[in-house]
Each structure stands twice: as structure tokens, then as C-alpha cells.
Amino acid sequence: MSNYIPDYDPSGIAEINGNLLGLPYDYNTANLIIFAVPWEVTVSYGAGTANAPQRILDASYQIDLFDFDHPDGWKQGIYLVEISQDILDKNNYYRQQAAKIIARQSEGKALTNTPDLTPILTEINQAGAQVNQWLFSQCQQAMNLGKKVAVIGGDHSSPLGYFQALANQYPDFGILHIDAHADLRDAYEGFEFSHASIMFNALKIPQISKLVQVGLRDICIDEVEIINNSNNRVFAYYDSAIKQQQYAGKTWIDLCQEIVGNLPENVHISFDVDGLDPKLCPNTGTPVPGGLELEQVYCLFREVVKSGRKIIGFDVNEVGDAEWDGNVGARIVYKLANLLDLSQK
């Protein structure tokens, strides 16, 4: 669906208008609504991803609109809903509270020691549930108007409410998950909605029939067991195994087609930028050496579209609080928006 705006010059200078890429759309005229979730309460290593939505917005004004995969992709109408200051303020407060819990655990001491930190943990888990509920209702509302929805996180816990909204719309869908980490930990560090638990929580949603993970290279024993015992509900493509196959002469295109073959017809893309080589997003929360090139990941996404599958949504998370990371993050968001639209054609 094209929302043609007659006096808009897509080759002109972007107007800094509060919308992604300076596009001239609002909530009513856009077909793709993007929600920002500036939340990173449970991050245990590098902080700053709560500022990612703003970084991505700021960087997006510098991006040219011509896209080689879908030159008219911008015409679908893309709108970034204003970043919630209330969520950002709550994030900053609860982040400090969570730091106390993480510090206590790293000393090997019980949360029940004096001062007892269990009430703080309960409060943080409730705050996480509230953010999920807020996102769920926002996504549900937009989808009920026939719009497509996407999410720009803070940390990778951000899209859970969105997954639940998608599950109300689609009886069966898969997640294509780009990440250095499997995120299959059960309430990591006691946080029910930890960034390290997003896919563990996603698997509680029965409509998510497949989870296909690509680029994993930092994983715990319990997570490997979950993958191995999932009855092919979860497929893991470990970074080292991908590279080993490529060194032996297997082409990336062949590997992409194999990866995509595991996905059902409807596909959500969940993109944690630490799945990439860290030179691309060096300020992400938990960088790991190795990883994928950006064009390599785009190639995989193109194979999803070429296979006739539909991209029904996407989330982009863990973009660092720095200009370069914002630049890369903004390009990823725009590419995914265009491929989503292309796959619907």
C-alpha cells in the first residue's frame, strides 16, 4: 500500500520533524508504526541502550531514502511514535535498584541478607510486567487498525509485549533471531523479564512455533540443553559452526536457504545488534568477538522474502549509546521496514 504525498521530495534534505528519516507521516497516515521501548533495567554489563531509540532517530535524518531492495519502500508510510519520557524515567530509577541486586549476587550473598533486597526484586519484576502490558496494548491497538508494527528497544527484554500482541493476530509464527546470545535463561539473576530471558519467555507463547537463532557464540550449558531438547522448535546456528562450514567451501547463500527452510510462513525478525561483528556496534551492552557482517544478515533476510515467507514484524535491540551505533541501528531499522513491506507484496 502506497501513501503517496505529492509535494514531498524524497531526495531533499530531511526535515528534523521527530519522525524517523524525517518522513512526512503521522500515526494515521503511516502503515508501519514503530514503538520505542527505552528500557534496560536488567543489563548486567554495559549500559546505554535505553538511549538507543533517540540515537537511532537522530542518525536516521542522515540516511538517503533509496533502498536497493525496495526503492519505493518509504512510501508505505513509516512513523516512530514519540519516545516515552515516563518509561525512560522509570528505567533510570529501576536500573539503579537492579544494580544493587546484581552487585549482591556477584558477591555470592543472598538477597535476604540485611538489607533485604527481595522487595526490590519484586518491584522490578512488576515494573517489567507493566512495560510489557503497555507495549502489548499499544501494539494491539495499532494492529487492530490494520497497521504493521515494529519495536526499537533498549535491551532485548523490550519486545515481549509485542510478541504477545503478534500472538493474538497470528495463530502460528516463527522468530528469526540474530544474536550472540541465546537469551534462553530462566529469570536470569532473578529478573523475570531479563534481557537474557527474552527467548525463554517467548517460548511460553504457544503461537511461536519456531525459534531460529543465528550467530550465537556466548551461551551457557542450560541454554544448549534447552535447544537440544526442544524437539526442533529451536534451531541454533552457532557462529563458529557457520564459519567452519564457510571455510570448508559452503556458500552463505546455501546456508541462508537452509536456515530459512526451518521457518514457518509468518516470520518475525528479532535483531540484537551484538549478533554482528562488534566493529559495527561497539557500544552494545554485551559485545562478543566474532559475529556476522551487516550485508551477510541482509542477505539472510532477503532469502526470507525470496522464499515467499512474510515478515510480519521486527524488533531491533541493544544498539549502543553512541553516534556510530545509532547510524548502524537506523540503517537496520530502515532496511527491515523495507523488507517487511516487500514481503507483504
Side-chain angles (χ1 to χ4, degrees):
M1 182 172 170
S2 169
N3 285 355
Y4 180 61
I5 294 179
D7 57 352
Y8 178 69
D9 176 11
S11 298
I13 294 166
E15 183 191 334
I16 298 177
N17 60 0
N19 190 24
L20 209 65
L21 303 142
L23 288 170
Y25 296 98
D26 59 20
Y27 189 96
N28 294 322
T29 55
N31 285 323
L32 176 63
I33 305 296
I34 302 179
F35 294 103
V37 186
W39 191 258
E40 56 162 2
V41 167
T42 65
V43 295
S44 36
Y45 191 59
T49 61
N51 298 324
Q54 188 64 51
R55 284 289 189 180
I56 286 171
L57 173 60
D58 293 345
S60 73
Y61 297 120
Q62 300 301 320
I63 295 177
D64 279 315
L65 292 182
F66 185 87
D67 180 88
F68 286 93
D69 292 300
H70 190 16
D72 285 340
W74 65 272
K75 291 182 182 174
Q76 66 184 291
I78 300 168
Y79 179 66
L80 173 66
V81 175
E82 188 179 352
I83 300 163
S84 166
Q85 189 59 45
D86 179 51
I87 290 179
L88 197 51
D89 291 343
K90 283 181 176 151
N91 168 76
N92 295 340
Y93 169 74
Y94 286 113
R95 169 103 187 83
Q96 291 169 336
Q97 301 304 309
K100 298 174 190 172
I101 289 170
I102 293 166
R104 174 78 62 86
Q105 290 178 331
S106 62
E107 292 164 1
K109 295 176 183 167
L111 293 186
T112 47
N113 285 12
T114 312
D116 184 356
L117 296 180
T118 48
I120 292 179
L121 180 61
T122 303
E123 206 183 323
I124 289 168
N125 285 338
Q126 284 169 345
Q130 283 165 358
V131 170
N132 293 337
Q133 184 54 47
W134 169 82
L135 183 60
F136 171 79
S137 58
Q138 295 293 316
C139 292
Q140 181 101 313
Q141 195 177 339
M143 288 175 188
N144 287 344
L145 294 169
K147 297 179 185 294
K148 295 286 174 270
V149 168
V151 163
I152 299 173
D155 74 28
H156 210 159
S157 70
S158 303
L160 186 59
Y162 172 31
F163 293 170
Q164 290 160 339
L166 282 170
N168 274 1
Q169 297 281 326
Y170 297 93
D172 168 63
F173 68 99
I175 295 178
L176 176 56
H177 174 206
I178 309 298
D179 207 323
H181 310 90
D183 292 346
L184 288 167
R185 291 172 177 265
D186 181 1
Y188 184 54
E189 297 177 321
F191 302 119
E192 188 183 347
F193 304 111
S194 167
H195 63 104
S197 304
I198 180 64
M199 294 308 165
F200 184 89
N201 291 329
L203 289 176
K204 294 177 185 173
I205 301 171
Q207 291 89 337
I208 298 174
S209 58
K210 285 279 189 280
L211 172 62
V212 179
Q213 306 184 291
V214 183
L216 308 185
R217 54 194 187 278
D218 195 9
I219 192 166
C220 80
I221 291 162
D222 287 352
E223 291 175 306
V224 174
E225 285 182 359
I226 286 174
I227 292 164
N228 292 346
N229 298 327
S230 72
N231 291 325
N232 289 339
R233 189 179 178 201
V234 185
F235 287 87
Y237 287 85
Y238 299 105
D239 191 52
S240 55
I242 288 171
K243 291 192 166 80
Q244 199 66 29
Q245 287 183 276
Q246 289 187 288
Y247 300 149
K250 188 160 187 175
T251 69
W252 177 238
I253 286 279
D254 284 344
L255 263 167
C256 287
Q257 289 167 351
E258 181 191 316
I259 292 166
V260 170
N262 297 308
L263 289 162
E265 186 191 344
N266 293 318
V267 179
H268 173 89
I269 293 174
S270 191
F271 198 148
D272 182 329
V273 296
D274 70 29
L276 298 168
D277 183 310
K279 68 182 179 226
L280 291 161
C281 275
N283 299 288
T284 186
T286 38
V288 185
L292 301 156
E293 290 296 337
L294 190 54
E295 209 43 66
Q296 210 181 352
V297 179
Y298 289 169
C299 175
L300 173 58
F301 296 163
R302 286 183 193 111
E303 289 304 314
V304 173
V305 178
K306 281 181 189 168
S307 74
R309 288 169 174 80
K310 275 197 177 70
I311 299 172
I312 58 170
F314 64 87
D315 61 87
V316 177
N317 296 286
E318 307 279 356
V319 171
D321 184 13
E323 197 173 335
W324 169 247
D325 300 60
N327 177 341
V328 173
R331 290 170 192 281
I332 292 169
V333 169
Y334 187 44
K335 177 61 77 178
L336 281 168
N338 287 329
L339 291 175
L340 180 150
D341 189 56
L342 192 62
S343 78
Q344 303 277 337
K345 297 263 179 272

